[in-house]
Amino acid sequence: SQLTATKPGRRVVRDKGTYVILRELHRCEREPDVLAACENLIQVLIGDEPGPGMENLLEVKIPEEVEEQLQRRDREEERWRREEEEAGGSTPCPEELSG
């Protein structure tokens, strides 16, 4: 995600078709941390460009209460993923289906 911290970096990553690769990786990946990283990067790639003064995402200051909300959401998503894995709710990769 360091490559997508700046506007020129996001442009290059988008222009290389990275979204399609990440989408396919996300379909097949089982590791929760890798899935979360894919989802975060996909959001950056498909989201609107940040407004003036926020072009470099590494320099954006997040208010403490927003940071706490994001962390709480991350914990809830992780708990949901574990429950899904325990219930066997994951979709197999095409390679797993063929053999």
Side-chain angles (χ1 to χ4, degrees):
S1 66
Q2 294 284 330
L3 292 173
T4 60
T6 63
K7 187 173 184 173
R10 288 188 292 277
R11 185 179 312 117
V12 168
V13 172
R14 284 186 188 112
D15 290 348
K16 298 296 179 183
T18 305
Y19 169 76
V20 175
I21 295 167
L22 285 171
R23 183 185 65 203
E24 293 305 309
L25 172 61
H26 188 267
R27 285 179 10 134
C28 299
E29 183 57 53
R30 300 287 183 258
E31 180 61 40
D33 291 339
V34 176
L35 283 170
C38 282
E39 291 164 6
N40 291 338
L41 186 50
I42 286 170
Q43 286 302 315
V44 170
L45 294 176
I46 67 174
D48 293 334
E49 267 304 310
M54 298 181 69
E55 293 88 355
N56 187 334
L57 299 177
L58 295 177
E59 296 174 354
V60 174
K61 299 294 182 208
I62 300 173
E64 188 173 327
E65 66 269 4
V66 173
E67 179 68 26
E68 290 170 3
Q69 290 173 351
L70 293 172
Q71 289 175 355
R72 185 171 42 253
R73 189 177 120 207
D74 286 346
R75 288 190 300 270
E76 290 171 0
E77 287 178 2
E78 180 61 31
R79 184 173 49 247
W80 178 80
R81 276 197 191 99
R82 281 195 304 265
E83 291 171 359
E84 285 290 310
E85 286 179 3
E86 291 170 3
S90 62
T91 304
C93 273
E95 294 80 14
E96 293 175 2
L97 293 173
S98 62

